[in-house]
Amino acid sequence: MERREPALTRHEQAQRGGGPRPSGKAPKGPGGIRRSFKAPKKPVKKTQAGKRRIQKPRQAPIVPPQAVAGRALMLVVAIMSFLACLTVGFVTVVNDAATDWSNELVREITIQIRPVDGIDMLQQIDRTVALAQEFQGVGHVRALSDQETQELLQPWLGGDLNLDDLPVPRLILVKIAQPELLDLTEMKATIEDDIRGASLDDHRLWTQQLSSMANGAVVIGFGILILVLASMILSVVFATRAAMSGNKEVVEVLHFVGAEDSFIASQFQRHFLVLGLKGGLVGGAIGCLSFMLIEFLGNTPNEFGAAGQAQALLGTISVSWLGYVGAGLVVVLVAVLTALTSRIAVHSHLAGMD
Amino acid sequence: MIRFENVGLRYGMGPEILKDLTFSIEPQSFQFLTGPSGAGKTSLLRLLFLSLRPTRGLISAFGTDTSRVTKSQLPALRRRIGVVFQDFRLLDHLTTYENVALPHRVAGKMEADYRSDVIDLLKWVGLGDRMHVMPPVLSGGEKQRAAIARALITRPEVLLADEPTGNVDAPLARRLLRLFIELNRLGTSVLIATHDLHLLEQVNARHLVLHDGRMIVDE
Ligand SMILES: Nc1ncnc2c1ncn2[C@@H]1O[C@H](COP(=O)(O)OP(=O)(O)OP(=O)(O)O)[C@@H](O)[C@H]1O
Ligand SMILES: [Mg+2]
């Protein structure tokens, strides 16, 4: 039975390749291993020629998945991704708000007119309004009415106030239709020169403060993001080391059968990539859900006191698409970092081994 | 192929277990390594397999001084050497088939290319019907055969076997010995560490005898 097809046997042999082997000897040897190895080959080939094998066993992972501290690490990764997503969401909210602030604030200028002895306030106001309207890019200009001024001052000066009796400064609101056309410095100089007691406030100081605060918040946000990712990386390093110690036997055997370090590293890396992806997705999904929840709660009027305050400052609280994109990036980053970190950790562990 | 010159070995601060060994394993040679238990057979195999470095002396494998071999060169050298461990070192979470296929898999070969080889070899060592079970449910002898199969599957240039017949009965031991001899005929140098006298009697081969840390070569 073994001798039936020596040609096939020899052909197979030639294909087998592998290490250097003395030629000429192989095919002969009566009762040879070669022939013995081959014995069942023919029937197998015949029945399954050209087809995928029926009972092809799935290749089990060389490093058993349960040997990697899966659950705990996945939880850590999920929590870290969640925190990272929240940070990204926070950064985008603040950033969007800062953009809104600066956009809105240069669209509005306030001119304050302090009363000066001997000059008629109402006349001054009219002159100022007229003057302001001459500038390019200026939209609607309007003085606060007596009524409005009274309301504005009421908290400090009480209800029955006669503006004519008191030297109260008056305000003129200048809407700017096309900020790009307006020469603010010139406007400021002209108005302050022409009208006695007038001063122009373009809210710059306020804007600057807000935007530097926003920038600070963004920087802090990124700082937090880095710290969160760093602690995740450290957890992965520890988990990898633990997995390697737990799989010492496996690593040893792999070395004995001639595995390269990179092969061993990829065996571990597979698990960590899957783990990082799972953890990242869970954390990212919860992060996105909480974006939606914050948006929902934050914009529900008067239910939560805090929402009102935050809304006043930030406008409608909503995480823009950038936040969701950021969350997606966090998930990818987390998975890649997890896999990469474990790979590097395996390599350094192997390098330290003897 | 593998050459020892005045090799000495001690573990830590302990006594010198192997002293002044000078011998070589020639291509296509067949030899037994014997000696009483604790004589250092396993230690010698570990030296041959480059998993241990000598405390003194020179070992060269395939023409390379092993003290100059870097970590990254080690896998390539090890693939030329097959080892059967006294304690088998099978991976318990892989099937017998996967264990035997491991050297191929580690070398990055496609499963389709080695599958039938592995199956044939498993059948030949009598594990045809134990292919898909895990080592923990194998008997001692079955594990031993799986370990042998794993060492043979890539047809290494040198085969080192540590007590390869320690757990099998006489007929099977003879069969395994025949396997080693066949392998040797095909060009592999074989070194079998054993104190199984029956085994020694069956083949006319060189005996390397370890005694008191020194080696006596009995041609
Ligand atoms: N890792 C080690 N650390 C310290 N001493 C060791 C170590 N391995 C082996 N030894 C000692 O070296 C000596 C030789 O051990 P070795 O395992 O090489 O003997 P052996 O000839 O294989 O014995 P056996 O026939 O029982 O397998 C023994 O005294 C053993 O205690
Ligand atoms: Mg031993």
Side-chain angles (χ1 to χ4, degrees):
Chain A
M1 158 208 181
E2 284 127 311
R3 282 267 170 200
R4 224 182 284 163
E5 262 247 53
L8 172 68
T9 310
R10 216 165 290 142
H11 167 69
E12 291 290 321
Q13 239 163 335
Q15 279 195 326
R16 201 155 321 177
R21 198 183 306 133
S23 54
K25 280 198 147 194
K28 310 174 200 159
I33 297 174
R34 170 82 45 202
R35 212 194 51 200
S36 312
F37 277 18
K38 287 295 113 187
K41 173 142 236 166
K42 247 198 91 191
V44 171
K45 278 254 153 161
K46 267 242 159 94
T47 48
Q48 301 179 342
K51 277 187 194 168
R52 212 84 203 107
R53 310 206 175 219
I54 302 155
Q55 34 97 253
K56 175 176 178 152
R58 277 221 143 277
Q59 295 245 80
I62 289 175
V63 173
Q66 60 273 23
V68 176
R71 283 274 168 74
L73 183 64
M74 203 170 95
L75 197 63
V76 170
V77 171
I79 292 172
M80 294 300 182
S81 327
F82 170 67
L83 292 179
C85 285
L86 278 195
T87 313
V88 167
F90 163 77
V91 165
T92 55
V93 166
V94 170
N95 205 33
D96 289 352
T99 318
D100 284 352
W101 291 327
S102 39
N103 280 346
E104 261 166 34
L105 291 173
V106 285
R107 288 178 172 274
E108 201 176 281
I109 290 173
T110 326
I111 301 170
Q112 190 186 92
I113 301 172
R114 268 171 283 110
V116 181
D117 278 345
I119 299 180
D120 179 21
M121 177 59 96
L122 292 178
Q123 214 179 342
Q124 288 283 73
I125 292 173
D126 289 344
R127 273 187 59 207
T128 314
V129 169
L131 187 59
Q133 263 164 346
E134 280 173 22
F135 285 89
Q136 273 207 315
V138 169
H140 183 66
V141 181
R142 155 185 102 84
L144 283 193
S145 67
D146 287 3
Q147 171 84 38
E148 284 171 310
T149 310
Q150 255 169 3
E151 279 172 10
L152 206 61
L153 292 174
Q154 193 182 16
W156 289 276
L157 301 179
D160 29 48
L161 181 72
N162 190 348
L163 288 180
D164 298 334
D165 297 347
L166 277 170
V168 176
R170 305 292 295 263
L171 293 179
I172 296 167
L173 301 181
V174 182
K175 293 270 182 206
I176 296 170
Q178 290 157 294
E180 61 280 1
L181 291 181
L182 180 69
D183 186 343
L184 248 178
T185 23
E186 200 206 324
M187 185 177 185
K188 187 175 168 72
T190 314
I191 289 181
E192 287 177 1
D193 280 355
D194 278 15
I195 317 265
R196 287 191 58 194
S199 65
L200 185 142
D201 179 7
D202 59 3
H203 304 190
R204 269 226 184 118
L205 193 62
W206 172 230
T207 319
Q208 274 166 5
Q209 278 176 349
L210 271 185
S211 85
S212 65
M213 189 183 89
N215 288 340
V218 169
V219 168
I220 290 173
F222 276 111
I224 292 174
L225 195 64
I226 288 170
L227 287 180
V228 165
L229 291 178
S231 28
M232 191 199 72
I233 286 175
L234 286 179
S235 323
V236 173
V237 169
F238 292 136
T240 307
R241 290 208 189 132
M244 292 209 59
S245 319
N247 289 279
K248 226 171 164 174
E249 279 272 291
V250 177
V251 173
E252 219 169 63
V253 169
L254 287 177
H255 270 149
F256 287 152
V257 297
E260 319 252 355
D261 283 2
S262 57
F263 179 87
I264 299 175
S266 41
Q267 296 309 310
F268 281 92
Q269 190 188 352
R270 296 159 60 152
H271 293 302
F272 284 97
L273 178 63
V274 170
L275 202 147
L277 211 53
K278 277 190 193 161
L281 279 175
V282 169
I286 297 177
C288 288
L289 279 181
S290 51
F291 289 172
M292 294 173 197
L293 195 71
I294 287 170
E295 192 167 334
F296 174 73
L297 291 182
N299 299 324
T300 308
N302 294 333
E303 283 233 29
F304 297 84
Q309 300 280 328
Q311 223 168 23
L313 192 62
L314 302 174
T316 49
I317 305 170
S318 82
V319 180
S320 65
W321 58 273
L322 255 172
Y324 290 93
V325 169
L329 286 181
V330 164
V331 173
V332 174
L333 188 67
V334 161
V336 169
L337 274 181
T338 312
L340 213 63
T341 305
S342 70
R343 180 171 202 95
I344 293 169
V346 170
H347 270 292
S348 76
H349 189 100
L350 290 177
M353 259 171 56
D354 195 46
Chain B
M1 258 177 158
I2 304 184
R3 213 155 46 82
F4 275 45
E5 272 174 47
N6 301 313
V7 169
L9 174 77
R10 65 169 87 234
Y11 286 106
M13 303 303 281
E16 199 159 46
I17 285 158
L18 299 172
K19 298 169 196 153
D20 270 333
L21 302 189
T22 301
F23 72 100
S24 62
I25 294 178
E26 302 298 340
Q28 297 193 46
S29 60
F30 191 102
Q31 50 257 298
F32 287 110
L33 174 65
T34 63
S37 182
K41 299 184 292 296
T42 302
S43 306
L44 180 55
L45 288 187
R46 289 184 66 194
L47 286 175
L48 283 164
F49 185 50
L50 317 179
S51 94
L52 209 59
R53 291 189 184 261
T55 24
R56 60 192 177 84
L58 183 100
I59 301 178
S60 71
F62 309 107
T64 333
D65 176 357
T66 55
S67 64
R68 300 243 179 84
V69 169
T70 62
K71 269 193 119 136
S72 56
Q73 295 170 318
L74 215 50
L77 282 178
R78 282 197 172 139
R79 283 178 198 178
R80 302 169 75 171
I81 308 174
V83 193
V84 183
F85 296 95
Q86 202 168 4
D87 51 357
F88 318 132
R89 308 278 180 115
L90 298 169
L91 296 182
D92 285 348
H93 62 281
L94 298 182
T95 63
T96 309
Y97 168 86
E98 286 164 338
N99 266 289
V100 172
L102 195 60
H104 277 318
R105 197 167 159 190
V106 153
K109 295 210 182 123
M110 297 302 293
E111 209 212 344
D113 297 339
Y114 58 74
R115 186 162 196 274
S116 56
D117 280 0
V118 174
I119 293 174
D120 291 348
L121 180 56
L122 279 169
K123 284 185 177 154
W124 204 85
V125 298
L127 290 176
D129 53 347
R130 311 296 278 153
M131 227 181 277
H132 300 300
V133 300
M134 313 280 177
V137 302
L138 293 178
S139 75
E142 286 168 338
K143 281 186 208 168
Q144 185 128 51
R145 284 176 272 156
I148 292 172
R150 187 182 63 193
L152 296 185
I153 189 64
T154 52
R155 313 189 154 268
E157 291 165 60
V158 181
L159 179 81
L160 309 172
D162 202 351
E163 298 287 358
T165 57
N167 289 280
V168 296
D169 56 20
L172 188 57
R174 268 200 297 281
R175 196 159 165 213
L176 291 177
L177 185 61
R178 248 177 57 219
L179 180 66
F180 289 130
I181 293 170
E182 279 310 317
L183 194 73
N184 177 239
R185 285 212 187 123
L186 293 172
T188 298
S189 305
V190 177
L191 182 139
I192 300 175
T194 185
H195 35 220
D196 180 352
L197 292 175
H198 288 297
L199 204 64
L200 295 173
E201 282 163 6
Q202 285 172 40
V203 202
N204 209 358
R206 193 160 75 125
H207 289 187
L208 309 173
V209 186
L210 277 180
H211 197 78
D212 281 341
R214 296 187 187 275
M215 183 185 285
I216 301 150
V217 180
D218 181 6
E219 299 288 341

